[in-house]
Amino acid sequence: MGLFGSFQKWKNAKYEEHMSRMKENNKCPDCNGRGFLIFPASMYLYNSESINCHGCNGTGLYTDWGQSGEL
């Protein structure tokens, strides 16, 4: 458990660092502020509608991230 616990702790610390950096720069953490995904799964699907980031709806902003499911 020690090795696995250390790895999980390191992974969580990297995630928290990434999230705080994206929030500070007002960038979407999913697409790193680009507004689109580099290799989206929808690219390989027939009838794909767009390659916009689903986390921020293509704006690339942290303030819009996570609000795509709200009405």
Side-chain angles (χ1 to χ4, degrees), residues 34-69:
R34 288 186 295 271
F36 60 91
L37 302 175
I38 294 177
F39 294 112
S42 62
M43 179 186 294
Y44 301 107
L45 298 174
Y46 185 75
N47 287 342
S48 64
E49 295 178 6
S50 70
I51 60 170
N52 287 341
C53 175
H54 296 290
C56 63
N57 289 324
T59 62
L61 299 175
Y62 184 85
T63 53
D64 294 334
W65 177 70
Q67 298 178 2
S68 60

Side-chain angles (χ1 to χ4, degrees), residues 14-28:
K14 293 298 282 183
Y15 177 77
E16 291 298 324
E17 179 186 340
H18 174 72
M19 292 300 291
S20 65
R21 189 173 52 241
M22 292 292 113
K23 185 175 183 178
E24 181 180 305
N25 294 328
N26 196 25
K27 293 182 178 180
C28 173

